[in-house]
Amino acid sequence: MARIVMKFGGTSMAGTERIRRVAGIVRRQQEAGHEVAVVVSAMSGETDRLVNFCREANALYDPAEYDVVVASGEQVTSGLLALTLQSIGAKARSWLGWQLPIRTDDAHAKARIESIDTDEILASMARGEIAVIPGFQGLTADNRITTLGRGGSDTSAVAVAAALKADRCDIYTDVDGVYTTDPRIVAKARKLKNVTYEEMLELASVGSKVLQTRSVSLAMKEKVRVQVLSSFIDENAPAADTLPGTMIVSDEELEGLDMERQLITGIAADKNDAKVILTAVPDRPGAVSSIFGPLAEANINVDMIIQNVGRADTDTDVTFTVPAADLDRTVAVLEENSATIGFQKLSTDPKVAKISVVGVGMRSHAGVAAMMFKALADRGINIQAISTSEIKVSVLIDSDETELAVRLLHTAYGLDG
Ligand code: ADP
Ligand code: ASP
Ligand code: MG
């Protein structure tokens, strides 16, 4: 007997019929002799709808009240799944974030889980009952509802699995695993049998939304075994123990598993950044700090940064990227500080995309970046900025060329299926 946490995403929970399919999958897993706890997302589109209501009510909304509103999507689906499980003869009940509770810090709208009280879930399991837990929600020390940031149900599931010392955390979604790139963009994308925690962390952080970045770092830290698989499976499919999806594994495990690995594991694209260019910034110590200090204070995350070689020893240009959602605030902060920074011109470009190639093979092979630059150059795609890590190379390009760039890199690195 194993203990398994099963998480179902928004598309899997969208409507009565799909919830019935999910109930069947959960029931079969329990009937295979396992202890199961379930974590659910809101129905797809629901969180966006609720976020819009908040914006309409008050453009400068209070994040604590935003959390009260957006956490409700998961309350609905957890109750509906418990009802559906009961309708097919399973014992089930919902446990809302505040009822367990799942404690978080008070960073509303992007809270971090601090602890999970598992007493009720363990007692529930001991009674042969299926505990259904809404993802995304938590509770602060002074009992206010929080949410964990968009895509946060993945993190709820991994945190519940860690707290329960579960044997596995199965993340059921609308694709049957992690692919070499988004299978909705590149039809030739291939499903990966295994991907390492580090690779998944890089892929998630550069735009593969199949798992929330935080869920992967938590799984890595707590050594939770995570599997990504599809909830759109046959009514009579067996329980997931035969591991049909993608397993997230450690570096050591991978070595024994996958001898025929390509140099590059995956490619991701992210259109959610915007570019900022400061022209003629004084070329002297402290200039860069006068730009990025105030941005850090305003809690704006800067990603890629380029400082050009100084012009005639007096000034230089600085280019960087920020989340597009923070672009207006970035401009405001820079203008407020224009006297101290001393730039001549501020321009912005929201029409950019970051394309990243990721793979642990990069550690032992040279030429990965060069291959990327050549493939893009051959098709006339201009690179506006570059950044690298030990297992990743990212470039910034015109967002109109996103799909083309991902497709041609997928081919160039030999990933086409
Ligand atoms: P859920 O609602 O189940 O949480 P998400 O929409 O958050 O699902 O994540 C699943 C989606 O992630 C897929 O539909 C797919 O379009 C996208 N995706 C992006 N990159 C990848 C990838 N490398 N492999 C698989 N799916 C990916
Ligand atoms: N419902 C939330 C969202 O759409 C959390 C999740 O689905 O993971 O972001
Ligand atoms: Mg998701």
Side-chain angles (χ1 to χ4, degrees):
M1 183 183 74
R3 179 175 288 175
I4 297 166
V5 172
M6 310 171 76
K7 181 257 170 178
F8 294 89
T11 320
S12 312
M13 297 299 293
T16 312
E17 272 319 301
R18 290 187 183 176
I19 296 178
R20 196 165 296 285
R21 182 197 296 268
V22 164
I25 296 173
V26 172
R27 183 70 199 274
R28 284 200 294 281
Q29 191 69 258
Q30 193 193 36
E31 281 172 347
H34 303 307
E35 285 183 324
V36 297
V38 185
V39 174
V40 295
S41 284
M43 295 192 197
S44 63
E46 179 63 6
T47 309
D48 287 339
R49 196 177 74 94
L50 295 168
V51 170
N52 274 332
F53 279 134
C54 294
R55 289 206 181 110
E56 282 167 18
N58 184 342
L60 295 173
Y61 53 76
D62 167 11
E65 295 303 341
Y66 160 98
D67 279 348
V68 172
V69 176
V70 300
S72 67
E74 273 74 6
Q75 171 160 341
V76 171
T77 47
S78 58
L80 287 174
L81 179 57
L83 284 171
T84 312
L85 282 163
Q86 289 167 3
S87 81
I88 59 170
K91 285 202 268 179
R93 84 152 267 190
S94 61
W95 290 99
L96 301 183
W98 64 269
Q99 290 172 319
L100 290 171
I102 295 177
R103 290 284 176 196
T104 70
D105 62 15
D106 57 7
H108 284 284
K110 49 172 186 248
R112 277 177 183 276
I113 296 179
E114 288 177 342
S115 66
I116 298 182
D117 192 328
T118 53
D119 293 353
E120 299 285 13
I121 311 176
L122 289 169
S124 204
M125 282 176 161
R127 290 191 295 268
E129 202 174 84
I130 297 163
V132 185
I133 302 154
F136 195 44
Q137 4 176 295
L139 193 68
T140 65
D142 50 2
N143 293 337
R144 298 221 58 184
I145 306 254
T146 50
T147 61
L148 309 181
R150 298 307 305 272
S153 295
D154 296 329
T155 303
S156 306
V158 171
V160 167
L164 289 175
K165 301 196 170 43
D167 297 282
R168 215 168 63 226
C169 180
D170 285 344
I171 307 275
Y172 287 85
T173 182
D174 55 2
V175 284
D176 61 352
V178 178
Y179 278 69
T180 48
T181 191
D182 190 336
R184 297 187 196 286
I185 297 183
V186 179
K188 289 178 183 163
R190 273 189 301 113
K191 187 167 106 184
L192 297 162
K193 272 196 204 128
N194 305 284
V195 55
T196 70
Y197 289 103
E198 271 180 294
E199 289 172 327
M200 197 59 238
L201 193 58
E202 291 275 19
L203 282 170
S205 72
V206 294
S208 297
K209 71 165 188 167
V210 60
L211 288 176
Q212 196 198 32
T213 309
R214 254 194 219 175
S215 72
V216 186
S217 47
L218 186 64
M220 191 162 149
K221 184 167 140 261
E222 300 288 336
K223 302 196 168 53
V224 176
R225 289 185 73 71
V226 176
Q227 176 176 220
V228 177
L229 65 176
S230 173
S231 71
F232 293 84
I233 48 176
D234 193 270
E235 286 282 306
N236 305 309
D241 303 331
T242 44
L243 307 181
T246 300
M247 278 302 298
I248 321 279
V249 299
S250 65
D251 270 1
E252 299 76 52
E253 271 180 279
L254 182 73
E255 275 172 27
L257 284 170
D258 214 343
M259 312 305 284
E260 290 170 53
R261 262 192 150 229
Q262 305 290 336
L263 183 54
I264 291 302
T265 307
I267 301 175
D270 188 351
K271 290 185 186 173
N272 296 316
D273 280 351
K275 186 173 74 169
V276 179
I277 307 156
L278 289 174
T279 316
V281 176
D283 195 6
R284 57 166 164 71
V288 169
S289 156
S290 72
I291 300 170
F292 297 111
L295 292 176
E297 263 164 50
N299 222 344
I300 295 169
N301 277 330
V302 176
D303 182 19
M304 301 170 123
I305 302 176
I306 312 175
Q307 181 180 338
N308 288 354
V309 176
R311 231 183 330 253
D313 292 340
T314 56
D315 58 57
T316 182
D317 298 341
V318 178
T319 303
F320 56 92
T321 61
V322 294
D326 290 336
L327 185 57
D328 290 349
R329 279 202 309 131
T330 302
V331 170
V333 169
L334 293 171
E335 276 168 355
E336 248 167 59
N337 290 276
S338 64
T340 13
I341 305 171
F343 56 86
Q344 220 165 62
K345 196 177 129 208
L346 163 61
S347 39
T348 61
D349 179 5
K351 240 183 91 271
V352 291
K354 184 170 70 171
I355 311 296
S356 307
V357 299
V358 173
V360 284
M362 265 183 230
R363 286 206 191 102
S364 48
H365 286 84
V368 171
M371 189 187 257
M372 183 179 198
F373 305 154
K374 178 158 192 320
L376 295 172
D378 285 349
R379 294 296 287 269
I381 296 177
N382 188 40
I383 297 172
Q384 307 176 15
I386 301 167
S387 69
T388 62
S389 80
E390 205 191 359
I391 63 164
K392 180 194 76 190
V393 184
S394 304
V395 295
L396 196 70
I397 62 169
D398 187 316
S399 63
D400 284 346
E401 296 172 320
T402 309
E403 278 77 23
L404 172 65
V406 172
R407 278 200 197 96
L408 73 92
L409 291 172
H410 200 265
T411 307
Y413 287 107
L415 296 176
D416 289 352

